[in-house]
Amino acid sequence: MIDLKYLQNNFEEASAKLQKKGVDTTALENLQGLFLSLKEANAALEAAKAEQNSMSKLFGQYMREGKDITELKAKVDANKEAMVPLQEKAREAEEALYNVALAIPNFPDESVPEGADEEDNVELRKVLEPKSFSFEPKEHWALAESNGWIDFERGVKLAKSRFSVLRGEAARLERALINFFLDTNAAKGFEELCVPFMNNSAMLQGTGQLPKFEDDLFKIDEEDLYLIPTAEVPLTNMYHDEILTEKELPVLMTGYTPCFRKEAGSAGRDTRGMIRQHQFDKVEMVAIAHPDKSDEVFEMMVENASDILTALGLPHRVVELCGGDLGFGAAKTIDLEVWLPGQNKYREISSISNTRDFQARRAKIRFKDGKKNRFVHTLNGSALAVGRTLIAIMENYQNEDGSITIPTVLQKYM
């Protein structure tokens, strides 16, 4: 959640920042009106409390002086009764403000490039040169069919569209990638965690998936549980409503989970193959950092994900997202896009974000800074999306006869 005091005291400046993300000014004006309603409700309540305190002191004075308290007592009782609807009005005003604020995205960093969508993202660098093929490279679904690696039809039969089944060597390669990613992350100081694949609504609100993105979540009927859309949710919320010591920072965590998304709004996009699935595997990195150190941790996470792709021999590029393409909770995001020769384009394989204190405010994750409690900074990123890495290996390591070579670093896992 954004800092509401900052928004209230610097409304024009805050509005300009959010407009960089394409936020509708109507929502901000609505928020400003709710600030005013809360201020008026609190003022009325405080006036009634002050009157109550004043009469209570007078009540004691009357008792000491032996005066008749009948009339004063009636006023005290009447004022106490009048405070009940004032308290309720203040509570409702605060709740209304909070609910609207939950749907307001994070402020982008000053350094984030201007732009409307992914076309305006800025390429920072390319890593490794794409391979030149002596034949026309195939896309992953054609390779999957000829090698018997991915069974799309039976995935649909078992569930519905956008589900698939990995078979034989592909299933083993998926497992090899997960182990390789976890081992690499562990070597960089990330603690491996195995977490629940279902989380409650408070956790999803803490990381920003609720309430805004509920339509993209799979909810368990009659339970306050959702299938997780990313391991970012359980890993970040490991410290939900906790106060860490400064010495504990940074907390570095990694974990493998399947991820579940309805892909609401993606109708007609990537309908063929395994690029966009309702269920996919991912190894996640999450960091809980001191505010003064989060930029340093951010760079380390980007470098780690890029190093994994380099170790796999996969050409990729590093891209900074513009304001219009920045995610809801992100203040700054770097995407890694891997080269897919079958598609003849780069496709996202990792997205690494610094949310600053946005998630920490929602999840109440703090650290003790001397005598004062401060919000931490939270960061998250893929290292990596497993299915997309599998696809990238298939397309980049394909041979003219349709066979696929296993990258050297994975052979020991196979």
Side-chain angles (χ1 to χ4, degrees), residues 53-350:
N53 291 336
S54 177
M55 287 191 293
S56 295
K57 290 177 182 177
L58 199 57
F59 192 86
Q61 181 184 330
Y62 276 28
M63 291 286 286
R64 289 192 299 273
E65 295 175 358
K67 291 183 178 180
D68 183 4
I69 61 170
T70 305
E71 185 178 345
L72 181 60
K73 186 176 184 302
K75 287 183 179 180
V76 169
D77 291 343
N79 192 65
K80 188 181 292 185
E81 190 174 332
M83 282 173 61
V84 174
L86 292 176
Q87 288 172 328
E88 180 61 18
K89 188 173 182 180
R91 186 197 65 76
E92 289 176 352
E94 185 173 22
E95 187 176 300
L97 175 64
Y98 185 77
N99 288 339
V100 171
L102 283 174
I104 301 295
N106 196 7
F107 297 117
D109 281 0
E110 292 290 338
S111 62
V112 169
E114 297 281 352
D117 53 36
E118 61 184 17
E119 297 299 321
D120 297 316
N121 293 341
V122 178
E123 181 185 297
L124 301 179
R125 60 186 177 274
K126 284 189 171 79
V127 182
L128 302 181
E129 283 292 322
K131 176 183 175 181
S132 294
F133 290 87
S134 59
F135 57 91
E136 185 70 25
K138 297 176 181 177
E139 296 198 52
H140 73 276
W141 54 79
L143 292 164
E145 184 178 348
S146 61
N147 286 277
W149 275 25
I150 309 174
D151 193 329
F152 296 108
E153 290 182 4
R154 287 185 174 87
V156 174
K157 179 175 74 172
L158 291 171
K160 64 175 186 176
S161 61
R162 295 191 189 272
F163 285 90
S164 57
V165 176
L166 297 180
R167 307 191 69 146
E169 198 163 49
R172 292 173 60 210
L173 182 55
E174 181 94 349
R175 178 159 49 91
L177 285 167
I178 292 167
N179 287 331
F180 173 57
F181 296 164
L182 290 172
D183 288 349
T184 304
N185 292 345
K188 292 290 179 72
F190 288 84
E191 178 190 5
E192 183 178 341
L193 282 77
C194 185
V195 294
F197 300 162
M198 291 180 278
N199 282 188
N200 62 49
S201 58
M203 302 304 105
L204 286 141
Q205 181 173 292
T207 42
Q209 284 77 20
L210 287 178
K212 189 172 178 63
F213 301 105
E214 186 165 12
D215 288 346
D216 206 32
L217 301 172
F218 287 99
K219 189 178 188 307
I220 310 301
D221 285 346
E222 299 179 6
E223 294 278 356
D224 181 30
L225 289 171
Y226 296 79
L227 295 175
I228 60 169
T230 166
E232 169 198 340
V233 179
L235 291 177
T236 305
N237 282 292
M238 282 288 294
Y239 295 92
H240 190 283
D241 201 12
E242 292 189 25
I243 301 171
L244 297 160
T245 64
E246 191 169 356
K247 287 183 179 179
E248 290 178 276
L249 303 177
V251 178
L252 304 178
M253 297 170 283
T254 187
Y256 151 71
T257 67
C259 305
F260 306 90
R261 300 179 188 177
K262 287 185 178 178
E263 292 293 348
S266 66
R269 296 176 60 194
D270 298 308
T271 54
R272 194 171 185 187
M274 215 173 69
I275 287 283
R276 198 177 298 274
Q277 299 271 279
H278 290 307
Q279 176 186 321
F280 59 94
D281 290 335
K282 184 154 66 80
V283 172
E284 189 77 358
M285 300 179 289
V286 163
I288 296 176
H290 189 291
D292 297 342
K293 300 287 186 180
S294 69
D295 285 328
E296 181 182 320
V297 174
F298 180 70
E299 292 301 325
M300 179 274 288
M301 291 170 67
V302 172
E303 182 180 350
N304 184 48
S306 178
D307 285 349
I308 292 174
L309 287 167
T310 301
L312 289 167
L314 294 174
H316 57 283
R317 65 176 189 162
V318 182
V319 176
E320 183 171 7
L321 268 55
C322 69
D325 198 32
L326 210 56
F328 178 77
K332 181 181 180 70
T333 296
I334 296 291
D335 273 6
L336 300 183
E337 298 179 351
V338 70
W339 176 251
L340 296 182
Q343 293 191 22
N344 195 38
K345 65 169 67 171
Y346 287 95
R347 297 298 302 264
E348 180 198 331
I349 196 168
S350 176

